[in-house]
Amino acid sequence: MSESAPYQQPSAPAGDYPGKTLGIVGLVLAIILPLVGLIISIVASSQSKKAGYSNGIAKAGIIVGAILVALGIIVSIFYGIAVGAALSNANG
């Protein structure tokens, strides 16, 4: 008399894909600690790529981290040159 509905598998919750949260953390850290953020963003991008997802946030973290690491290296070189010049002028 009463028809039972066919059994349906519950669908998986629409949630994060692999590397999404790590990509956000990587982007934030790329601004604060560029080298650490760069590494974490690369790991997040790799995880997303293996799962078949595109992770734009991780890519942004890689770009920001790489630029800030490069700028840090350039500033360190100029700082080293300036300190070396100041020391050589003070000694002689």
Side-chain angles (χ1 to χ4, degrees):
M1 307 255 179
S2 66
E3 293 182 31
S4 63
Y7 178 74
Q8 294 180 351
Q9 287 277 344
S11 62
D16 293 340
Y17 51 84
K20 182 179 179 182
T21 303
L22 198 58
I24 294 169
V25 171
L27 178 59
V28 171
L29 284 175
I31 296 168
I32 300 169
L33 299 168
L35 185 59
V36 175
L38 175 63
I39 294 168
I40 291 176
S41 295
I42 291 171
V43 170
S45 179
S46 175
Q47 285 181 353
S48 296
K49 187 183 248 184
K50 285 180 185 177
Y53 291 98
S54 176
N55 193 343
I57 296 173
K59 289 179 185 175
I62 292 170
I63 293 168
V64 170
I67 290 172
L68 291 179
V69 166
L71 285 175
I73 291 170
I74 292 168
V75 167
S76 296
I77 290 170
F78 282 125
Y79 180 76
I81 292 170
V83 168
L87 290 176
S88 68
N89 285 340
N91 290 335

